[in-house]
Structure formats: structure tokens, C-alpha cells
Amino acid sequence: MYLLCWLLSTFLRVQFGQALSSTAAIWVLDILLLFTFGALIWKSDKAWPVWAAALQLLIMTCQFLFLINFAPTVSAYSTVINFSSLGIILALAWGSVASWQERLAISASSNDLGRYS
């Protein structure tokens, strides 16, 4: 989902530049992604969706500041966006690895229970 939203936002920026329609479409994508992370927080007891949602909210805040002309310098804006995106990717990778290890542990314990019972 994150990769798809990133590709769509990149396509919109290349296609329309900094037009208002592309900014609104990117905002819709960001809100959709934030709601997706919120649903993951609601259904999961892990910490990685909270980190991903917090970093996504930081990206949206930075874009909102840029939208109302209260933005910092372009280099600071780019730094926040890039590091937050990297943090989201790391949180998603951490969650994927943790889920994979948990699934392996559950399958290994269920196989052992069946053999010795």
C-alpha cells in the first residue's frame, strides 16, 4: 500500500508539477495511508504501526505547513519528508520481519504439539 501511494504521488508530481490538483490528490493519498496505518493500530498490539502512523502524520504536517506558506526552507522540507519516509519503510520492514518470526514460532509449536500429544 505504501509503495503504491508513493508511486502515485510521484506520478502526480511529475505529471502536474506543483499544481493545486496534484497537491489535493497527494493529500488524499496521504490521508488514505494514515487511515490505513490507523486501522493497523486498531487491530494490532504491536508498536510498528504506531511509528509508521506518527511518521506519516509528520509528513502530512510538513506538507500542510508548505501549503499555507509557513514552510521552512526547501532543504529542511526535503529532509523531513525523506527521513520520515525512510522511517516508515523501516517500520514496515520491522513489522514484516516480526510477523514472519511470530508465524514461524506458531507453526513450529503447533507441529511439535501434534507430534507429542
Side-chain angles (χ1 to χ4, degrees):
M1 178 77 172
Y2 184 75
L3 182 62
L4 181 64
C5 285
W6 177 75
L7 287 173
L8 283 173
S9 67
T10 303
F11 172 74
L12 287 171
R13 283 196 178 129
V14 168
Q15 196 69 13
F16 297 109
Q18 292 296 329
L20 187 60
S21 61
S22 70
T23 305
I26 290 170
W27 262 91
V28 168
L29 288 172
D30 284 341
I31 290 171
L32 177 70
L33 197 57
L34 186 63
F35 280 139
T36 303
F37 289 144
L40 286 173
I41 291 170
W42 183 36
K43 291 291 185 180
S44 176
D45 59 345
K46 308 295 183 205
W48 66 269
V50 176
W51 280 100
L55 291 169
Q56 180 64 29
L57 196 58
L58 182 65
I59 289 173
M60 291 179 63
T61 303
C62 193
Q63 289 177 349
F64 178 73
L65 290 175
F66 197 76
L67 186 67
I68 62 171
N69 293 329
F70 192 68
T73 62
V74 174
S75 63
Y77 172 79
S78 297
T79 302
V80 168
I81 298 293
N82 289 333
F83 277 123
S84 296
S85 298
L86 180 64
I88 291 172
I89 291 170
L90 290 175
L92 292 174
W94 178 268
S96 298
V97 168
S99 297
W100 173 66
Q101 288 178 342
E102 188 175 301
R103 190 170 300 153
L104 279 178
I106 289 172
S107 68
S109 66
S110 67
N111 289 342
D112 290 342
L113 283 175
R115 187 178 342 157
Y116 296 115
S117 58

